[in-house]
Amino acid sequence: MKKTLSQQVAEIGEKLTFEDLPDYVVENSKKFILDLLGNLLASKHIESSRIVVDVVKDLGGEPTSTVVGCNYKTSAPMAALANGTMGHAFDMDDDHREGTQHSSVVVFPAVLSLAERYKKSGKELITAFVYGSEITIRLGEAFLGQTYYQGFHPTGTCGVFGAAGGAAKILGLNAEQITNTLGLAGSQAAGLLEWKAQGTWSKRYQAGHPAMCGTLGALMAKRGYTAPTTVWDGEDGFLRAYSYKDIWDEKKVIDEFGTRWEMADTSIKVHACCRFSAPLADCALDLYGQGIDTEQVDSILAKVNKYSIKVLTVPAERKADPTTVVDAQFSLPYAIACGMVKGRESIAEYTNETIRDPKVLELASKVRWELDPEAEKVYPKYYPCTVIVTMKDGTTYTSHVDYPKGDPENPVTWEEAVEKFRFMSGYHIGEFEKDRIIELVGNLEELDCLDELIKIIS
């Protein structure tokens, strides 16, 4: 009998070793891990982070796993919940454009919580992280960029499978147990896009929730809890149930899994806004560099793909005049206006105070958009955009971006990732601690245990 998709992926996971991973996969993984740690350390003072940490503390739990930056340990699932939610607070954690989701912020909190509890090595941590990341990204790719139109957020819906797979791998489960772990994840796949309607925090929770659920599922499967082997490809499985108009390609899940690593092409973000805004932000910074006097701008036209219009311009009144940070993070007019006025798009430009800058809002009111058929043709392979500025005297300026900074074709180097980490961790830890974290992550595969790294990030 032909084995199901999850059984095939589970068998690959059982056999996978660190030595099977190409050097570039290992090096990129360390870059993603350092980047996420910077996001975690930066976010601990954010109100949404404080709330989830307070809830986790109220619930309690065996103190086996660290909540990053909070000097607190709790159970592995609760630590995964807190770290996943905090890591997504600024929306500056990495993402995968064709998988159309954030993977590391879901998978890493799950594997870290269990690696700490069970005293795993750096090699084991990286291997589990790679395996889990590959699962969630490939599931996202299988929807061909269309699951958004069904109202689902792949970071949550696909992410729980990646967290589950990574957690199962760090626990050393066999193929049958991994299959059950993935099957249990199917009962916990969740994440609606409705958070964007009112600029709420629930998107951040849609990183923490799957991290927690994947961890919990692996612990249950370890003890013999069963789940369907057909969780992905069954008649009522994930691919059919979560697809838009039955559009999916299950070959994306399994083809060359274990020899071709999609997760290594994850993009590191350099702007504190939605991934769909990244090329717009790059265009805006390019236009800023052209020396445009924004007070003399008559109109701005952005030409983008269809989904960028859907996610970044609706509801229109909240995008042109954002009232929350989430509104601004997912606003086409704000991303363009912010970059053109300030010449940067860091977390400092996405606070409750700075999103109300009158100069930015005035320019945002002049931004319009239209569908670019050429951009739509290549979605979700990549997200090109064009921004055209018309001045009051009729002069025009144009900027076009195919691959924003951070994409595999325009990558963030290790040195640039280090610079971002230093900026994100800011005043939260001292320079000695920053240097040591960078050194430890840079040599993660050489660590027999994670105790020193855990102690510093605690």
Side-chain angles (χ1 to χ4, degrees), residues 2 31 92 127 201 272 280 303 312 349 371 399:
K2 180 181 177 181
K31 200 187 315 183
M92 282 198 78
T127 306
W201 292 335
L280 294 160
K303 302 174 70 173
L312 300 176
E349 282 67 61
L371 174 65
S399 183

Side-chain angles (χ1 to χ4, degrees), residues 136-154:
T136 181
I137 287 167
R138 282 175 170 267
L139 283 172
E141 289 180 328
F143 289 119
L144 305 176
Q146 302 301 305
T147 189
Y148 280 112
Y149 295 112
Q150 193 66 15
F152 292 123
H153 180 205

Side-chain angles (χ1 to χ4, degrees), residues 7-275:
Q7 287 176 318
Q8 294 176 64
V9 168
E11 288 186 351
I12 293 168
E14 179 184 26
K15 298 173 183 176
L16 184 68
T17 68
F18 178 82
E19 287 67 32
D20 295 324
L21 304 179
D23 290 344
Y24 78 96
V25 172
V26 173
E27 293 306 311
N28 280 7
S29 296
K30 292 188 291 187
K31 200 187 315 183
F32 305 151
I33 289 169
L34 181 68
D35 187 67
L36 185 58
L37 289 175
N39 276 273
L40 278 163
L41 290 167
S43 71
K44 66 178 185 178
H45 67 284
I46 298 295
E47 187 177 2
S48 61
S49 298
R50 289 200 301 267
I51 290 172
V52 72
V53 171
D54 286 346
V55 169
V56 164
K57 288 181 176 180
D58 284 347
L59 291 173
E62 184 183 2
T64 62
S65 304
T66 293
V67 177
V68 174
C70 298
N71 193 29
Y72 181 75
K73 293 183 186 290
T74 182
S75 67
M78 288 293 99
L81 168 65
N83 289 331
T85 304
M86 291 195 300
H88 202 39
F90 288 117
D91 221 284
M92 282 198 78
D93 49 299
D94 65 41
D95 59 42
H96 193 278
R97 66 182 182 225
E98 194 168 355
T100 63
Q101 65 185 277
H102 301 261
S103 56
S104 296
V105 75
V106 175
V107 177
F108 185 69
V111 298
L112 179 66
S113 68
L114 292 171
E116 179 182 2
R117 176 178 177 178
Y118 291 100
K119 304 298 182 183
K120 300 295 182 176
S121 69
K123 285 184 178 180
E124 290 171 303
L125 178 69
I126 291 172
T127 306
F129 172 69
V130 169
Y131 177 61
S133 299
E134 191 72 8
I135 291 172
T136 181
I137 287 167
R138 282 175 170 267
L139 283 172
E141 289 180 328
F143 289 119
L144 305 176
Q146 302 301 305
T147 189
Y148 280 112
Y149 295 112
Q150 193 66 15
F152 292 123
H153 180 205
T155 300
T157 59
C158 300
V160 68
F161 294 101
K169 183 62 181 173
I170 205 76
L171 290 175
L173 303 191
N174 61 36
E176 181 180 0
Q177 292 170 317
I178 297 173
T179 303
N180 282 327
T181 303
L182 297 173
L184 286 169
S187 294
Q188 303 171 93
L192 296 176
L193 288 171
E194 192 59 19
W195 50 262
K196 65 184 176 61
Q198 298 166 349
T200 58
W201 292 335
S202 57
K203 181 177 188 286
R204 302 168 187 180
Y205 178 59
Q206 288 174 14
H209 175 262
M212 172 187 70
C213 291
T215 305
L216 182 62
L219 291 169
M220 292 173 66
K222 180 183 179 184
R223 289 159 176 78
Y225 210 96
T226 63
T229 64
T230 52
V231 65
W232 293 336
D233 45 1
E235 181 179 351
D236 295 312
F238 177 69
L239 292 175
R240 188 196 66 79
Y242 285 70
S243 65
Y244 175 69
K245 295 184 178 180
D246 290 335
I247 299 172
W248 79 83
D249 181 0
E250 66 180 48
K251 292 180 181 178
K252 295 279 189 180
V253 179
I254 195 63
D255 281 2
E256 298 182 271
F257 194 124
T259 57
R260 174 172 52 82
W261 294 99
E262 294 292 319
M263 63 79 59
D265 284 339
T266 298
S267 302
I268 288 183
K269 296 178 70 174
V270 298
H271 306 306
C273 52
C274 173
R275 171 61 179 82

Side-chain angles (χ1 to χ4, degrees), residues 353-422:
E353 295 74 29
T354 56
I355 64 170
R356 302 305 302 163
D357 186 316
K359 290 185 178 180
V360 174
L361 297 179
E362 171 63 22
L363 191 61
S365 70
K366 299 179 180 181
V367 177
R368 300 293 180 267
W369 49 86
E370 67 179 33
L371 174 65
D372 182 350
E374 296 304 311
E376 184 63 17
K377 283 180 184 178
V378 297
Y379 172 80
K381 290 286 187 182
Y382 60 104
Y383 314 159
C385 78
T386 304
V387 177
I388 303 169
V389 178
T390 301
M391 307 299 287
K392 292 177 181 178
D393 65 3
T395 304
T396 61
Y397 296 85
T398 300
S399 183
H400 176 85
V401 168
D402 282 326
Y403 304 108
K405 182 64 177 178
D407 271 11
E409 298 81 0
N410 187 13
V412 165
T413 65
W414 173 256
E415 290 74 22
E416 289 170 329
V418 165
E419 183 180 358
K420 179 185 172 185
F421 170 79
R422 290 187 182 280

Side-chain angles (χ1 to χ4, degrees), residues 299-357:
S299 64
I300 301 172
L301 174 65
K303 302 174 70 173
V304 294
N305 64 54
K306 182 170 66 173
Y307 190 71
S308 291
I309 293 175
K310 179 177 173 61
V311 73
L312 300 176
T313 69
V314 180
E317 65 277 6
R318 298 189 73 97
K319 303 302 183 178
D321 189 20
T323 58
T324 73
V325 170
V326 177
D327 286 337
Q329 288 172 330
F330 293 84
S331 167
L332 181 152
Y334 184 86
I336 293 174
C338 177
M340 287 184 62
V341 170
K342 299 187 175 183
R344 57 188 184 276
E345 304 255 3
S346 74
I347 55 177
E349 282 67 61
Y350 287 82
T351 69
N352 289 328
E353 295 74 29
T354 56
I355 64 170
R356 302 305 302 163
D357 186 316

